[in-house]
Every structure is written in C-alpha cells, then in structure tokens.
Amino acid sequence: MKKFEAIVIGSGFGGGITACRLSKKWPGQVMVIERGKRYPLGSFPRKPKDISENFFNLPDEKVKRPDHVPQGVMTGMYDVRSFEHMDVVTGAGLGGGSLIYANVFMEPPEEIFDERWAPNIKRQALEPYYRAAKAVLGSRPIPEDSDPRRKVIRTEYFKKTAEAMGRESELVDLNVFFGNDLEKPTPIGEQELNRFGKLQTSCTYCAECCMGCNYQSKNSVDMNYLHVAETKYNAEILLEHKAVKFIPIDENGRESVEASGEHGFIVHVRDLKSFKTKVFQCNRLILAAGTLGTNELLLRAKYEFKTMPRISSHLGEGFSGNGDFLSFVGESSEPADPNYGPVITQRVDYNLFKNFDKDRAFILEDASYPSLLAWFAEGQKPFVFKVSAIRDTIRGYWHRFLGHRNLTKVASLLHRFLRHDISWNTSIHLCMGLDKSNGKVSLDRQSRLDLNWPQKDSMSLYEAILDSVDSFKKKVRAKFWFPLPTWHLKRNITVHPLGGAALGENPNKAVTKVDDSHFGELHNYQNIYVADGALFPSAVGANPSATISALAEKVSHGITGEQPSTDL
C-alpha cells in the first residue's frame, strides 16, 4: 500500500491551494485525487456532440441528476445535480470549478461576517490570505489601453444604465491572464509563460470562459497552484479516480472506527476506467471535493459506512446557494453584445457593499455567453422573427428576375437573415446575494445525496432581484425580460453551493474547528480537514471563489505552520 504525508481529495480552489502549499512542505509526499480529466491547451469541447457528452455521470452512483443528463459512464466537466427547489451545477476536471467559473475575485464586505463567523475568520483576519491568493491568481480588472479590441460594449451598457438608475457600476478584479505586466498588458492573443512557468494566452475576449478556456487565458488553479505542485514539488495527481470512503487507523495501521485520526487514514479510491478499487494510506487527509462532494463523503462516513461516527450531528446544515439568480433582458433600445469579452467585467451594487440590508443584499453582474450559443439562439427564434428576412429574400429574387442581380448575392442574403441578431440587444443578469443559508444536505432513504432548500425563506432576496431586473428592462426600453424557466417551476439553480461543514468554535454547533493551528479540522477528530466552500457558515453575496481561496490558504497555514507567500 502506497503511503503519503497528505492526500487531497479534489482539485478546485481548495484542493489546488492546499495541494501546492502542502507539497512545498513535503515534496513528493502529497497526492491529489481528481474524478475528472486533465484539459490541455485547446482540449475543451466545442462541437455539439462533444458538448452533449461533457457531463459527469456514473450509472451506479447514488446521485439525483436531471433526466436530460446522458446515461453511461462519463467523466466530463459538468456535474448537474437535481434536488427539490434547487439544481446545482459543479465542475469536474483538474482544476475543479475553477475551470468553468466566471473569473471574479471579490472580497465580500465586512457586514456579511456576522455572528455565524467566529472572530478569527472575520474580514480583517482573513485579509492576509485574500492578499496571497489574489497575487497568485493574478487578479486585476480588464485592461484599458488604446487597442479598440479591448472595448467591451456591455460593460459600458451596464455602467450607463446603472448610473441612470442612481447606482454605481464598478469594474471587478478578474483571474484572467492579460500578460505578466499588470501595467502594460500583452497584446490580445499573444502567448507567454506566466510567472510560474505555464504557457498562457493574453485573453482573446471570446466569452467562452464558462465552457473552459481553450486559450489558457483563464487563471484556473491548474495554471498556477496545481502546476507548481506537480512540476516543482512532485505532487502525484490521480485523474479519473473517485474517493469512495476513508477510515481512521490505529497505532498498528489497522482500520478502526474507534481511532480519531492521530495515526492517519486509509482511503479507498475507485478507478473510473477499470472500476477497480485502490487503497492508499496518509497521515493527513484534506477534503476539497467541492461543497456537495465533501458533504457527501462526510455523510457517508458518518451514516452509511459508519467509519467516523463522531462527526458533528450538525453536518449538512447551513447550506446556501449564495443567492444565485440568472435572468435575461431582451431587445433593448441599445446594444449589449453579450458575446464578447470575459464572462463578467463589472458589478452593480444593491445593498451589499453600501446601504447594507441583509434581507435584500445582492450584486448584479454583466454575464455573457459564447458566440456559438448566439448562433443557437438565432436558430431557435420564432418564425415570426424570420418573416421579414424571408420577405426580403423573395423580393431579391424578384429583382433578380427583373435584372437586378446584385441584390441576391450571398452576402446580401446573409445580411438580411442575420441583421436582427437577437443576442446583440440582449443582456444577461447574473445576481448573487445573501440568501438565508438555511438549507440542509443529507442522505435520503436510498442513501442518495439530498438537499432540502426552503426557497420561500429567501423570497425577500429573490423578489428584490426580480424588481431590479424589471426596473432595468424599463430603463433600457427593452421589449421583454424573463428569469430562467425553472424559476416558474419553483426551482432555482446555483453554481455556488456553500456550507454544510461550517466552521465554529463550539463542536455542538459547528462541524470544523476555527482555532488557527487546527483550522478546518473536523471537531472530535485529528488530521482530517475541510478546505472548500463547505466551510462557509453563511452566504457571502459576492462571488465566493476569493473567500474559498482565503480559507484554503488559512487551512494550509495551520497544517504547515508557514504563512502563505505570493511566491509558490
């Protein structure tokens, strides 16, 4: 049996950061277990068939997924879970959710760190960890220089509209590669090694961030933390393998449910290609499988396998979707062009950073989508929107019959069919805010992961968001707006699941420890840590990747005893 100083389960922000920091402390003695694939330059799917199969699914897995997710063994990038009142989308692959997130690095305001957050995890206490992660991830706003290609129409569109509504639009920091020099960006599309030795491309503004960046312009953790862990500190990375269960061992190295982790753990791992089980031993175990993945592993350890019965009974409580809400405003009086630029560039504040109101606090961000989806939208337009183009085409042929041949050239026909591009005047509104963070993750009677989300308790937030979109629609004189269709079915969708293994001082109220030297360690156990979004005691309103990163840096600090630096 192969033994490691530390095994890290998951490779997103939490897993990537802890893998790097721990492998620096113990070179060649850290292993990362990732259920998904590696995505080299240019390997993210773009063809319709390939995209349709780019989901994560195991036929015998005890998981609730929507009916449209293809069956069979797939280790693709999108993991979609379906629960009552809430669907959850997460990422699989080397880099985890950082492969498909919206690039934003945003520290939440001090006000969100309420009584649910212990004193040593308030905003000020986390500042050194935010600072370290921000530097490694290369966070900065979109550059402003003389290159006209850097003009993002929707950024100006949202800014102008926000000001007309008496609100402020502010550029956000992005984990996007525009070159190594923050003062002088590298020309669009040019490649260079980043400061960690990984080849990246200066952002091409293709708006494909959430499909995986084929130019390696997104500063996902495989471009920095994981790259250094693997190439400099010889961390072993096990891909397309899924951790199934873990058991503490006694002083003789035997599995023991009575042990507390002081002698380490045995980890059972499933090879997703051969479906054989592999077994490893470690002195320390870090759970960073994402909020759902980590909660599921812990719930199975406590209730199904009963290998760790003393895990806090509050496990699974305090789940939050971070107030995620997506809507669309269509056919406005001015162009929004949602098919160009990084997927998000700015935020408009609604009672989160200013005039704080915990029941109605959220931010509005200018989401985008790739041009290939714009073509799809054109094909799905109702027939009535195509009548004028068809009429013009018939008229063109009639003119050709009369001798005016130039009117039926291919360019002319294409112009007639495409000039009313529905996406050009459509804006996508991605909001996130302070929901009540009172969901609960558990195992149902079939031992499937389940989520109880009391949506009605957060309606004050959702109604404030709906009101903001309606006001925006009126201000831009748009013809229509609508939320995601699932909203009318009393179902929301989140890409930011949080909570369930919350930090806290009292083991009778929390799942993980907050004291600095044992930060993120499970109460009642030793040497087993949580290092991802499951740690959150509540929603943060802002994009949570910055806070996940800061907490993971603090977990690493507690384990290694070394203050994280910006040099990996």
Side-chain angles (χ1 to χ4, degrees):
M1 184 191 309
K2 199 167 184 179
K3 182 178 178 179
F4 294 88
E5 182 64 39
I7 289 178
V8 179
I9 300 175
S11 67
F13 285 103
I17 289 171
T18 52
C20 182
R21 300 302 187 184
L22 270 60
S23 62
K24 182 178 181 179
K25 176 76 171 180
W26 296 289
Q29 300 181 61
V30 174
M31 182 171 73
V32 178
I33 299 171
E34 168 55 50
R35 60 184 176 150
K37 307 171 185 176
R38 188 188 298 268
Y39 290 93
L41 182 68
S43 63
F44 291 103
R46 290 297 183 265
K47 292 185 292 186
K49 183 178 184 301
D50 293 342
I51 292 174
S52 74
E53 297 173 349
N54 195 27
F55 290 88
F56 189 92
N57 184 69
L58 301 178
D60 59 348
E61 199 175 22
K62 296 175 181 178
V63 169
K64 297 179 179 180
R65 289 197 170 91
D67 294 336
H68 66 266
V69 172
Q71 299 304 302
V73 177
M74 292 187 297
T75 54
M77 192 165 58
Y78 297 102
D79 184 357
V80 185
R81 309 287 187 100
S82 185
F83 306 104
E84 186 178 6
H85 299 311
M86 179 77 79
D87 288 342
V88 182
V89 181
T90 61
L94 187 62
S98 77
L99 296 173
I100 56 174
Y101 80 124
N103 312 316
V104 177
F105 191 97
M106 188 182 301
E107 299 177 34
E110 181 65 44
E111 286 82 358
I112 71 98
F113 296 94
D114 57 18
E115 69 283 354
R116 291 171 290 186
W117 295 73
N120 69 328
I121 49 172
K122 301 291 189 183
R123 164 75 180 263
Q124 185 175 1
L126 291 177
E127 191 57 41
Y129 305 101
Y130 279 122
R131 192 162 54 246
K134 183 176 182 179
V136 173
L137 293 168
S139 303
R140 56 157 302 160
I142 53 172
E144 296 179 350
D145 63 19
S146 59
D147 188 342
R149 295 176 297 170
R150 295 202 187 276
K151 178 181 179 181
V152 180
I153 290 174
R154 67 185 151 86
T155 307
E156 298 179 0
Y157 170 84
F158 272 83
K159 177 179 175 63
K160 178 181 177 181
T161 307
E163 290 174 349
M165 296 172 67
R167 299 192 177 272
E168 294 181 6
S169 168
E170 195 174 307
L171 293 179
V172 295
D173 287 327
L174 304 176
N175 299 337
V176 173
F177 189 72
F178 297 104
N180 291 301
D181 189 338
L182 298 183
E183 301 299 323
K184 185 180 179 182
T186 299
I188 291 173
E190 290 192 8
Q191 293 183 320
E192 62 189 40
L193 296 179
N194 68 18
R195 66 190 185 97
F196 306 111
K198 183 74 171 178
L199 182 67
Q200 291 194 259
T201 306
S202 183
C203 181
T204 63
Y205 290 62
C206 67
E208 296 180 0
C209 308
C210 293
M211 299 180 69
C213 182
N214 271 332
Y215 305 97
Q216 292 187 171
S217 303
K218 178 194 287 280
N219 291 340
S220 45
V221 292
D222 56 322
M223 298 291 111
N224 35 73
Y225 286 103
L226 282 172
H227 174 72
V228 172
E230 184 177 23
T231 62
K232 185 176 180 180
Y233 301 122
N234 300 314
E236 184 172 331
I237 296 180
L238 201 61
L239 298 172
E240 294 184 85
H241 283 70
K242 189 174 189 294
V244 177
K245 67 177 180 179
F246 41 83
I247 309 164
I249 56 178
D250 61 21
E251 65 273 13
N252 298 311
R254 292 191 295 261
E255 296 181 352
S256 171
V257 297
E258 302 300 324
S260 298
E262 64 269 34
H263 303 292
F265 297 85
I266 296 293
V267 183
H268 294 247
V269 179
R270 189 184 192 192
D271 186 327
L272 300 183
K273 292 182 177 178
S274 68
F275 286 92
K276 294 180 180 179
T277 298
K278 301 177 181 179
V279 181
F280 302 96
Q281 183 178 337
C282 62
N283 292 331
R284 294 170 179 80
L285 181 60
I286 291 84
L287 306 182
T291 294
L292 291 187
T294 291
N295 273 281
E296 182 175 3
L297 285 167
L298 291 171
L299 286 163
R300 296 198 188 284
K302 181 175 176 64
Y303 297 111
E304 182 179 2
F305 304 128
K306 296 179 169 53
T307 56
M308 296 186 66
R310 297 188 298 282
I311 295 175
S312 170
S313 60
H314 292 280
L315 176 64
E317 295 178 359
F319 175 89
S320 166
N322 204 44
D324 283 6
F325 201 96
L326 190 65
S327 55
F328 304 82
V329 174
E331 294 200 35
S332 69
S333 57
E334 297 182 36
D337 189 12
N339 311 132
Y340 187 77
V343 69
I344 287 170
T345 63
Q346 64 83 57
R347 76 175 190 217
V348 180
D349 180 58
Y350 285 81
N351 307 112
L352 182 64
F353 288 89
K354 293 182 178 180
N355 303 315
F356 182 74
D357 179 349
K358 64 182 178 63
D359 294 319
R360 299 169 65 85
F362 67 96
I363 53 171
L364 160 64
E365 295 176 333
D366 60 318
S368 66
Y369 58 91
S371 57
L372 65 88
L373 293 182
W375 284 100
F376 176 80
E378 285 302 295
Q380 298 302 308
K381 281 197 305 192
F383 179 77
V384 65
F385 290 107
K386 304 173 186 177
V387 169
S388 62
I390 294 171
R391 183 190 63 227
D392 287 348
T393 301
I394 295 172
R395 182 182 298 161
Y397 275 105
W398 175 250
H399 280 285
R400 180 180 182 184
F401 177 75
L402 295 177
H404 304 289
R405 296 181 179 272
N406 63 316
L407 293 177
T408 54
K409 289 181 179 179
V410 172
S412 179
L413 292 177
L414 285 173
H415 170 71
R416 289 175 182 140
F417 271 98
L418 300 176
R419 63 183 175 180
H420 299 298
D421 171 11
I422 194 171
S423 294
W424 181 248
N425 292 80
T426 296
S427 56
I428 297 89
H429 295 230
L430 175 58
C431 295
M432 57 196 76
L434 299 184
D435 60 28
K436 295 305 179 185
S437 307
N438 59 346
K440 183 173 183 178
V441 184
S442 62
L443 298 179
D444 66 13
R445 293 180 179 178
Q446 288 78 45
S447 291
R448 298 179 303 178
L449 191 71
D450 198 12
L451 168 63
N452 176 18
W453 176 244
Q455 180 176 292
K456 64 181 188 320
D457 293 347
S458 296
M459 281 306 297
S460 60
L461 169 66
Y462 297 138
E463 287 170 356
I465 291 173
L466 291 167
D467 288 344
S468 77
V469 182
D470 186 59
S471 298
F472 195 101
K473 175 250 182 185
K474 292 174 181 175
K475 186 62 66 174
V476 298
R477 301 191 300 280
K479 292 184 179 179
F480 61 87
W481 75 271
F482 59 92
L484 279 177
T486 55
W487 177 250
H488 299 297
L489 302 174
K490 296 184 179 181
R491 302 181 65 82
N492 205 0
I493 294 178
T494 183
V495 294
H496 298 127
L498 302 170
L503 292 158
E505 297 172 306
N506 188 340
N508 296 319
K509 294 182 179 180
V511 179
T512 47
K513 304 171 187 175
V514 293
D515 53 297
D516 292 341
S517 58
H518 297 279
F519 192 79
E521 191 176 51
L522 291 183
H523 281 299
N524 305 320
Y525 286 92
Q526 300 174 41
N527 296 319
I528 179 168
Y529 302 81
V530 174
D532 57 23
L535 289 172
F536 283 46
S538 71
V540 291
N543 305 63
S545 60
T547 303
I548 294 172
S549 300
L551 293 176
E553 289 281 19
K554 188 169 176 59
V555 170
S556 301
H557 184 193
I559 296 172
T560 65
E562 298 175 356
Q563 182 76 34
S565 68
T566 59
D567 294 322
L568 301 180

